[in-house]
Amino acid sequence: MTSKKPAPSKPAQDTENVEAAESTQSTDGTGGARAAKKKPRRSKAARPKVREPRVPAQPAAPVREAAVSPAVDAGDRERLLHGTHHDPHSVLGAHPVPGGVAFRAFRPYAQAVTVVSGELRAELHDDGDGFFSGLLPLAEVPAYRLLVTYDGTVHETEDAYRFLPTLGELDLHLIGEGRHEQLWRALGAHVTSRQGVAGTRFAVWAPNARGVRVTGGFNFWDGTGFPMRSLGATGIWELFVPGIGEGELYKFEITRPDGSRTLRADPLARRTEAPPATSSIVHVSHHEWGDERWLAHRADTPLHEAPFSVYEVHLASWRPGLTYRQLAEQLPAYVSEMGFTHVELMPVAEHPFGGSWGYQVTGCYAPTARLGTPDDFKYLVDKLHQAGIGVLMDWVPAHFPRDEWALAEFDGRPLYEHHDPLRAAHPDWGTLEFDFGRREVRNFLVANAVYWCEEFHIDGLRVDAVASMLYLDYSREPGRWTPNEHGGRENLDAVAFLQEMNATVYRRCPGVVTIAEESTAWDGVTRPTHHKGPSGFGGLGFGLKWNMGWMHDSLQYMGHDPVHRKYHHHEMTFSMVYAYSENYVLPISHDEVVHGKRSLVSKMPGDWWQQRANHRAYLGFMWAHPGKQLLFMGQEFAQGAEWSEAHGPDWWLLDPSYGAAAEHQGVRDLVRDLNALYRATPALWQRDTDPAGFEWVAGDAADDNVFAFLRRDADGTPLLAVSHMAPVVRHEYRIGVPEDVPAWVEVLNTDAARYGGGGVPCPDVVKPDPLPWHGRPASIRLTLPPLTTVWLRPA
């Protein structure tokens, strides 16, 4: 998405009309969102370019004329007019000179400027082009204000160029090193006070810029009179603007190295306009958190030894039309009822194209304005925490879109993207990859991860597209990529970035987890960063990794007609060969139910009854398998259609007036019961990363389409899971069991009538026979319903 810059809106002649003019102009200053209403053309003298309070036309004390002082010299004048001055504060404002204090102001379109200090009022000389200067016989620079006259209307204002820099040496040092872990507190727009004067400080990183000016609704999108100063070699530009507060729209007008200009949104804006508008908004948070208890106990139990059942949600389409605050009244209640321990939110950072689902981010530090303000999003997270639900968020540090008002060639040259076009261009998505080797870019991303966890109390980051970051040849043909310094295909810069990000988040945010969407056999995704593996690399440091292999193999198996499944038995068992090589999440995510892949139940073979039976049996197998669980919205009630971000889940399937509602409600009841039993059964989660927590009972019963295994908790207490993936009833089916369990009781049967199954009867209590079976000293006989998973535990 792109936008073009129109001619600036024409402001009115007085304060009242100024406010009216502001309400009619394009809010993003680019024309990308709304066309500005045309107004009659006025002379420059009649166009004030700053919104300032009115003061009485008659001053309280006589106005004297300041003595003539050296005006702004030709070079400085030219650079200020063309937006290429790196230090406007050295020219503008008040400065001690021989004979007194020289005052210089740059107020385009003003008719007169008067300095006010106590009883002193001195009118400056009009030097043309908006420059005013004068010399006052003062011993030192006083506190002063300016009276600025536009077409007979007088405005009193502070002079932005009388204030010292708002960033200290420590901030600049850390930014220069790429180690500022709270970068959002230094850069961006912040309401603050300087020398007792309220205003907003603006700061932006643009090292290749010849000049930067801040522009917005407060100056009618004309930044001519608001040049920023460069703070040394850091590449940071800064300006404190008095009188500007919360809610103001703004952007940065950057003069590129070639002299052209570009209008850019703030990369660290904490609030933005709702797309398609693109302005940044000065933000102040007023949310008061109520989740102290949740945060205090979040890290009590290591996540790998705790229940972790995730409901994946696309907020904009879960209940289309709901705001963050409305979602806060419905989502926590639903997730609690269903028994999930966490929600995972598809990306909430601001993105221009809704069809990207948030995976092409332009506002890395701002929750999307489509659903409300940043405080509204905090309110949602707060309510989820108060309901005992953890909040995970998809995070996208791999790439960003090419929008001309955002990060692409931000200051006229490659900055956030790699300078090598082959490294910068993402071959699959038409986007740009971040330059992970540049310390300031790495800092921007690491701080962003910390930002969401610290400012929004996010409990975990699921990092998108990790594989595309790790490999230099990802989706690239030979000759389209360059090996690393060791001749390999690994992106060493990306490895270092991911290690730094994970180490920083885990150090700063106890109880937070990072999760990698990584689809290859990269060694050590969830290994600590300081532990080297066979490849010589330290671990990437993630807490969990999506098990994409399990997902692909198991769905492929379930897609086969049962008569052919015996030839694909290994697709369900192979995951246990590598199950303990990483800490895994078993994901049935949004990616598996869109773009022609069909919904989960629609992937299943057979008629509608068999599809639902397969669906239920698969979920029972999934919840018993080692690893954490993730299920995308709509699949919990066997939605038949693919997900669409335009209308979300088909909730109408659960409407009692719909004839088949009971069938969908039965699947939802099963998911609710799976979660309840899962949370109450430590054998299913306490030893997820310990091979001693799993034992195959029957892993080779391919002819019967049966899978049976034991899960054990820390005390050795077992749960027996049996999945039967054939559409027939198997009577008196013998399963080997441990001899130290005197009796077994069924706790879950996905064929139960209340779930929409056939309700094939099974005994309440099953006692073992002293008949060895499956290599075990005892065995039990079960009736296995068709297409069913059964769980049993000691009676």
Side-chain angles (χ1 to χ4, degrees):
M1 297 177 64
T2 60
S3 59
K4 297 182 180 179
K5 180 179 178 181
S9 303
K10 306 300 188 294
Q13 291 182 340
D14 54 36
T15 303
E16 290 78 5
N17 288 336
V18 165
E19 295 292 339
E22 182 192 19
S23 68
T24 61
Q25 67 178 354
S26 169
T27 60
D28 72 350
T30 67
R34 298 182 288 280
K37 294 183 180 179
K38 292 187 177 181
K39 301 176 74 68
R41 184 174 181 85
R42 294 182 170 90
S43 67
K44 288 186 176 182
R47 295 192 290 163
K49 299 305 253 183
V50 63
R51 190 170 69 244
E52 295 157 340
R54 296 184 66 176
V55 297
Q58 296 299 320
V63 178
R64 59 181 290 185
E65 184 175 348
V68 176
S69 76
V72 176
D73 70 36
D76 287 327
R77 187 186 187 102
E78 187 72 11
R79 288 192 293 272
L80 286 166
L81 284 169
H82 290 87
T84 59
H85 207 294
H86 74 284
D87 191 12
H89 293 71
S90 67
V91 178
L92 304 177
H95 301 273
V97 298
V101 176
F103 292 83
R104 302 187 190 95
F106 182 33
R107 295 282 167 166
Y109 315 115
Q111 292 178 323
V113 175
T114 299
V115 173
V116 178
S117 179
E119 294 298 317
L120 173 66
R121 292 171 181 261
E123 184 174 346
L124 303 182
H125 295 274
D126 186 347
D127 300 323
D129 292 327
F131 291 95
F132 297 83
S133 65
L135 177 65
L136 294 180
L138 302 173
E140 58 184 16
V141 175
Y144 69 94
R145 294 168 67 83
L146 299 177
L147 295 179
V148 186
T149 302
Y150 298 103
D151 195 26
T153 300
V154 181
H155 302 271
E156 183 172 350
T157 183
E158 296 285 350
D159 185 1
Y161 298 93
R162 76 177 183 88
F163 297 97
L164 296 172
T166 56
L167 291 180
E169 290 299 321
L170 180 58
D171 281 323
L172 296 177
H173 174 75
L174 292 174
I175 291 171
E177 283 195 335
R179 299 284 181 181
H180 203 305
E181 294 175 358
Q182 291 186 310
L183 186 66
W184 69 93
R185 296 186 183 276
L187 302 184
H190 295 268
V191 175
T192 185
S193 293
R194 298 293 290 173
Q195 299 165 221
V197 176
T200 296
R201 65 173 173 88
F202 297 90
V204 64
W205 179 57
N208 297 308
R210 292 178 60 189
V212 181
R213 302 189 285 207
V214 63
T215 180
F218 54 90
N219 59 19
F220 297 95
W221 300 101
D222 184 339
T224 307
F226 291 79
M228 305 175 74
R229 65 177 144 207
S230 175
L231 300 179
T234 61
I236 305 299
W237 298 77
E238 177 268 351
L239 181 66
F240 173 74
V241 181
I244 301 304
E246 179 180 1
E248 291 283 358
L249 306 182
Y250 72 98
K251 284 187 176 181
F252 296 114
E253 184 182 83
I254 297 172
T255 303
R256 301 181 177 109
D258 64 2
S260 63
R261 295 178 192 156
T262 179
L263 200 60
R264 299 289 172 142
D266 183 359
L268 279 94
R270 291 167 296 139
R271 184 182 172 191
T272 69
E273 286 189 287
T278 59
S279 285
S280 305
I281 302 178
V282 177
H283 174 64
V284 177
S285 179
H286 301 285
H287 180 73
E288 295 183 5
W289 289 94
D291 61 350
E292 296 83 2
R293 182 177 180 183
W294 170 267
L295 295 181
H297 296 284
R298 183 172 64 181
D300 286 355
T301 303
L303 189 67
H304 309 93
E305 302 171 8
F308 191 86
S309 172
V310 182
Y311 184 57
E312 188 187 20
V313 175
H314 180 252
L315 282 178
S317 67
W318 184 72
R319 298 276 192 184
L322 296 188
T323 65
Y324 290 129
R325 288 186 178 269
Q326 292 168 334
L327 284 163
E329 303 307 317
Q330 297 189 29
L331 184 60
Y334 183 78
V335 176
S336 295
E337 177 193 355
M338 293 303 297
F340 290 96
T341 66
H342 290 71
V343 293
E344 179 177 315
L345 309 179
M346 290 169 67
V348 298
E350 193 59 87
H351 50 284
F353 177 48
S356 77
W357 311 331
Y359 291 99
Q360 295 194 12
V361 179
T362 51
C364 296
Y365 284 78
T368 179
R370 292 172 174 87
L371 307 181
T373 69
D375 276 3
D376 294 337
F377 180 60
K378 288 181 179 180
Y379 181 82
L380 171 60
V381 174
D382 207 347
K383 286 296 185 181
L384 285 162
H385 283 171
Q386 291 176 39
I389 300 163
V391 182
L392 313 175
M393 187 185 85
D394 279 13
W395 186 57
V396 191
H399 63 123
F400 58 92
R402 296 174 179 265
D403 300 76
E404 64 182 14
W405 46 267
L407 297 181
E409 293 193 353
F410 182 76
D411 59 2
R413 291 177 180 164
L415 188 65
Y416 289 90
E417 66 270 41
H418 202 279
H419 60 85
D420 180 351
L422 293 181
R423 287 280 298 273
H426 197 290
D428 291 342
W429 303 317
T431 52
L432 296 169
E433 296 185 10
F434 282 102
D435 182 359
F436 304 112
R438 185 160 191 167
R439 61 180 181 271
E440 296 94 343
V441 175
R442 193 167 62 244
N443 189 174
F444 174 81
L445 294 171
V446 171
N448 187 242
V450 174
Y451 170 75
W452 290 105
C453 298
E454 291 190 352
E455 295 291 327
F456 291 90
H457 295 193
I458 296 297
D459 303 296
L461 300 173
R462 176 269 197 184
V463 183
D464 183 64
V466 171
S468 75
M469 301 164 65
L470 291 175
Y471 298 98
L472 294 169
D473 62 346
Y474 184 87
S475 287
R476 291 178 170 91
E477 299 296 329
R480 302 294 295 174
W481 64 280
T482 303
N484 63 34
E485 60 194 67
H486 305 296
R489 56 196 285 254
E490 300 86 1
N491 186 337
L492 303 181
D493 293 334
V495 171
F497 157 66
L498 290 170
Q499 290 175 327
E500 180 181 348
M501 182 276 296
N502 281 313
T504 304
V505 167
Y506 277 101
R507 171 170 50 81
R508 293 187 63 102
C509 309
V512 166
V513 63
T514 60
I515 306 167
E517 186 215 12
E518 205 285 317
S519 56
T520 74
W522 183 278
D523 173 47
V525 172
T526 59
R527 190 171 62 239
T529 58
H530 57 285
H531 289 177
K532 288 188 177 181
S535 64
F537 289 107
L540 296 182
F542 285 95
L544 296 166
K545 171 183 172 176
W546 273 20
N547 194 336
M548 310 295 279
W550 171 87
M551 179 270 295
H552 285 296
D553 289 348
S554 62
L555 289 180
Q556 186 166 303
Y557 173 89
M558 295 303 297
H560 293 300
D561 189 282
V563 73
H564 301 302
R565 284 177 175 169
K566 66 180 179 179
Y567 303 111
H568 300 273
H569 199 76
H570 65 282
E571 292 173 354
M572 290 287 266
T573 61
F574 180 67
S575 60
M576 290 313 302
V577 172
Y578 61 87
Y580 301 102
S581 62
E582 303 279 5
N583 305 326
Y584 282 117
V585 175
L586 311 180
I588 301 298
S589 74
H590 66 278
D591 274 332
E592 312 320 315
V593 296
V594 291
H595 297 327
K597 296 180 182 178
R598 296 172 294 172
S599 69
L600 181 57
V601 71
S602 297
K603 297 177 189 291
M604 305 301 172
D607 58 23
W608 174 232
W609 190 95
Q610 290 180 329
Q611 284 184 310
R612 287 185 293 112
N614 274 301
H615 182 98
R616 295 191 306 268
Y618 180 69
L619 292 178
F621 174 82
M622 172 182 173
W623 254 252
H625 191 285
K628 310 305 182 182
Q629 283 72 41
L630 180 142
L631 190 65
F632 184 60
M633 64 184 194
Q635 313 317 301
E636 78 273 20
F637 56 85
Q639 173 176 313
E642 287 188 345
W643 168 64
S644 165
E645 78 275 5
H647 65 257
D650 290 334
W651 296 108
W652 58 269
L653 294 171
L654 299 168
D655 190 323
S657 63
Y658 174 59
E663 299 170 358
H664 296 279
Q665 182 63 52
V667 176
R668 188 166 73 164
D669 290 344
L670 170 65
V671 173
R672 185 191 62 229
D673 291 352
L674 281 171
N675 278 326
L677 286 166
Y678 169 76
R679 296 176 80 159
T681 309
L684 292 175
W685 42 262
Q686 201 169 55
R687 301 171 83 178
D688 263 335
T689 60
D690 181 356
F694 177 90
E695 300 172 29
W696 276 117
V697 173
D700 57 355
D703 289 340
D704 300 329
N705 294 0
V706 169
F707 307 88
F709 53 85
L710 291 167
R711 297 293 307 276
R712 293 185 183 273
D713 65 17
D715 296 327
T717 303
L719 178 132
L720 174 63
V722 183
S723 292
H724 176 222
M725 299 301 185
V728 298
V729 179
R730 298 195 187 276
H731 298 280
E732 302 292 309
Y733 195 85
R734 193 169 290 276
I735 300 286
V737 293
E739 60 181 343
D740 58 347
V741 178
W744 296 83
V745 60
E746 181 183 279
V747 294
L748 178 81
N749 186 328
T750 64
D751 186 57
R754 66 182 181 276
Y755 302 142
V760 174
C762 297
D764 293 333
V765 178
V766 182
K767 294 185 177 181
D769 302 322
L771 179 65
W773 208 262
H774 291 138
R776 297 178 183 276
S779 57
I780 58 175
R781 290 172 296 167
L782 298 175
T783 296
L784 298 181
L787 304 172
T788 299
T789 292
V790 177
W791 293 357
L792 302 100
R793 67 185 178 198

